[in-house]
Amino acid sequence: MTQSNVSTLAFVHETSLVDEGATVGAETKIWHFSHVSAGACIGKGCNLGQNVYVANDVIIGDNCKIQNNVSLYDGVRLEDEVFCGPSCVFTNDFYPRAHGEQGWTIVPTLVKRGASIGANATIVCGNTVGEYAMVAAGAVVAQDVPSHALVVGVPAKQIGWVCTCGKKLEHTTKSQYSCARCQKSYEF
């Protein structure tokens, strides 16, 4: 591991590998058996759990939490404060093949600020998960998810709205919603 792009304030467990050329921000923690590839860029204050893989062309913002067994493949972008639950999946090619001359066509995926992706959810490439959206455990996202939307199922369908605090919003009037936990109001 070359320390040149790894903050001296970051923690990298001795069983993890951070390739030369990767960038790791201050106060980021990379736990057991993880691998960060050469071109990856990880912000400050992140926590990468056990057995996390971060490919070359991945950008992770500040204060993200990536739980155990998550692989972030080329083309994935996580803005600040994104939560990725255990074993959630990101694809990056619509037509993957192990044979032939076609090769890979990387299709970008964007997860916006404050969004949460539940355990074992799958995010199909080419989609955007909006700010503070909540993707339920096991859901398969095959289309864009609006900001603050709560989506569940296979394929994922919107069943409500969530607050920035994560609580499901209550419908109060025609287009008004409110949070019972933190008292914030929203209009959708």
Side-chain angles (χ1 to χ4, degrees), residues 100-122:
E101 298 178 14
Q102 174 188 347
W104 290 94
T105 302
I106 304 302
V107 180
T109 298
L110 174 62
V111 182
K112 291 191 171 187
R113 179 185 189 93
S116 293
I117 299 169
N120 294 304
T122 298

Side-chain angles (χ1 to χ4, degrees), residues 147-151 157-162 168-169 177 188:
S147 293
H148 291 275
L150 171 61
V151 297
K157 301 283 186 208
Q158 184 174 351
I159 63 162
W161 300 100
V162 292
K168 186 176 179 184
L169 296 172
Y177 294 81
F188 297 108

Side-chain angles (χ1 to χ4, degrees), residues 1-3 5-6 11-24 28-42 48-56:
M1 177 177 76
T2 298
Q3 294 290 325
N5 294 327
V6 178
F11 168 80
V12 178
H13 190 271
E14 64 185 25
T15 62
S16 290
L17 176 64
V18 177
D19 291 342
E20 184 174 351
T23 301
V24 178
T28 286
K29 294 177 176 68
I30 300 173
W31 293 99
H32 306 73
F33 312 113
S34 293
H35 181 190
V36 179
S37 298
C41 182
I42 301 172
L48 279 65
Q50 181 175 300
N51 194 38
V52 170
Y53 173 68
V54 182
N56 288 306

